[in-house]
Amino acid sequence: VVLSTFVTKKIMKKYIVFIVALFLVSSTNLFAQNRTLKQVMELQMPKTADDDFCGTRGAGVCWNPITKKYYAAFCGNTDFPMAVFTPAGKRISGDSLTTMEDIRGIWFNPSINRIMANCYSEIGWINYELNSAGIPTTNYYKFTGMNQPNEQSAGSYYSLLKSVVFRDGNQVVLYQSSADAAEVKESVQIHWGRKKSQGAGEDDEDVSESYNSNVVATNIKNAEFGFLNTANRQIELYNYNEGYLQQTLKLPESAPLESSFNFAYSNGIYWLFDIANRKWIGYK
């Protein structure tokens, strides 16, 4: 009887440990699915709102793992500012550095180790050439023409599929570049605010108005596409395979929210541009 009681207690102890461990794992996964982001850094852009060709809307922020620097830029004019920052957020480029072209989205392409950007309408895509200090000195055209869904589209690089992604209404469109153009590889229908268990919604077109016009490529497995929900003050991650909601990341009340541009992702950080104070704010 004593032996039997001992064995029973030992088995029960194992079950309790297993149940506690399962609870902790489940709680961790739940926290990872829905959490609040915290501000981790700032990138102060050059010039003031009173300067000529100062720019208003942010095109994006990209991280160059080779130079170990951040590159941030305005969209809208060839003379608008571009800036280069250290990993700590210190600007090392001068006030005279510009985007050199009327860009919309900016990213680092690890396949060719170049910073690239897509431009307004039919201008095309460009590559930036850097000097030994990692500062852009010139650019050349990868190709010209409308290699994007619409004239204002801003691209983001999805490295796992070597594709540039754009938002086009309720879809994410993936483009892959060849020698002289970019071609549509495929598109993914996004089910706004809905998990797979809920199924597709019938009002996606109406709901989509609550989201920033940009899509960011996170390269996070099963949560590859990120959207800024300005109505609910959160960033939502959707999967590439089916376009369903996977994670919800709440933003602080102080986070600046815009309906177009001013939203990026790089180096594991979500970036929002504060137009009034001319700075990119990073959240993680």
Side-chain angles (χ1 to χ4, degrees):
V1 175
V2 174
L3 180 60
S4 177
T5 301
F6 174 77
V7 172
T8 300
K9 288 183 177 180
K10 191 172 183 180
I11 293 174
M12 288 300 294
K13 184 177 181 180
K14 286 184 177 180
Y15 272 118
I16 292 172
V17 170
F18 173 77
I19 291 171
V20 170
L22 184 62
F23 173 77
L24 290 175
V25 170
S26 299
S27 299
T28 301
N29 288 337
L30 181 62
F31 179 76
Q33 296 287 319
N34 303 281
R35 59 189 176 88
T36 298
L37 297 173
K38 295 181 179 179
Q39 180 177 332
V40 293
M41 67 184 302
E42 296 181 356
L43 303 177
Q44 183 67 56
M45 296 297 286
K47 295 189 175 183
T48 71
D50 295 325
D51 291 323
D52 292 334
F53 299 107
C54 59
T56 300
R57 296 185 176 277
V61 177
C62 71
W63 167 254
N64 186 329
I66 297 176
T67 63
K68 304 294 184 185
K69 294 177 176 63
Y70 289 104
Y71 297 77
F74 284 94
C75 61
N77 192 288
T78 60
D79 293 322
F80 282 171
M82 186 176 187
V84 183
F85 301 86
T86 68
K90 178 183 178 182
R91 181 162 64 92
I92 60 172
S93 56
D95 289 353
S96 62
L97 180 62
T98 69
T99 59
M100 308 177 209
E101 190 49 273
D102 185 0
I103 72 170
R104 289 298 179 271
I106 185 170
W107 63 87
F108 177 79
N109 185 334
S111 297
I112 58 175
N113 293 331
R114 289 285 189 276
I115 294 174
M116 298 184 63
N118 76 287
C119 305
Y120 171 75
S121 191
E122 298 185 1
I123 294 175
W125 296 11
I126 61 174
N127 290 346
Y128 285 102
E129 290 290 337
L130 311 180
N131 63 17
S132 59
I135 308 297
T137 56
T138 187
N139 73 89
Y140 64 91
Y141 293 88
K142 175 71 174 175
F143 36 69
T144 60
M146 182 72 83
N147 298 280
Q148 55 202 46
N150 61 68
E151 58 188 17
Q152 299 290 357
S153 295
S156 179
Y157 195 71
Y158 181 12
S159 61
L160 295 179
L161 288 182
K162 298 181 179 179
S163 301
V164 177
V165 301
F166 299 91
R167 178 185 168 189
D168 185 17
N170 296 324
Q171 295 183 326
V172 173
V173 185
L174 289 76
Y175 283 72
Q176 286 188 335
S177 61
S178 58
D180 56 1
E183 299 178 350
V184 175
K185 176 182 182 293
E186 60 184 315
S187 60
V188 179
Q189 180 76 28
I190 300 300
H191 307 291
W192 304 108
R194 303 179 71 85
K195 296 187 177 182
K196 186 175 181 180
S197 59
Q198 297 173 291
E202 297 180 358
D203 58 347
D204 282 343
E205 194 66 43
D206 295 331
V207 175
S208 70
E209 296 300 317
S210 300
Y211 293 81
N212 180 282
S213 61
N214 282 15
V215 57
V216 298
T218 68
N219 293 292
I220 300 172
K221 186 175 176 58
N222 203 41
E224 293 86 355
F225 303 138
F227 294 92
L228 172 61
N229 186 327
T230 57
N232 294 335
R233 304 191 64 84
Q234 62 193 27
I235 293 171
E236 299 172 1
L237 305 184
Y238 294 76
N239 64 348
Y240 155 70
N241 289 331
E242 299 174 297
Y244 282 107
L245 177 64
Q246 304 297 314
Q247 295 184 38
T248 298
L249 309 172
K250 300 296 291 185
L251 288 161
E253 286 297 319
S254 59
L257 306 177
E258 299 293 337
S259 61
S260 61
F261 305 111
N262 304 299
F263 172 47
Y265 176 88
S266 65
N267 200 28
I269 298 174
Y270 298 92
W271 299 93
L272 299 176
F273 190 64
D274 181 343
I275 293 177
N277 295 298
R278 299 179 59 78
K279 62 183 178 182
W280 285 96
I281 303 176
Y283 300 89
K284 195 172 183 178

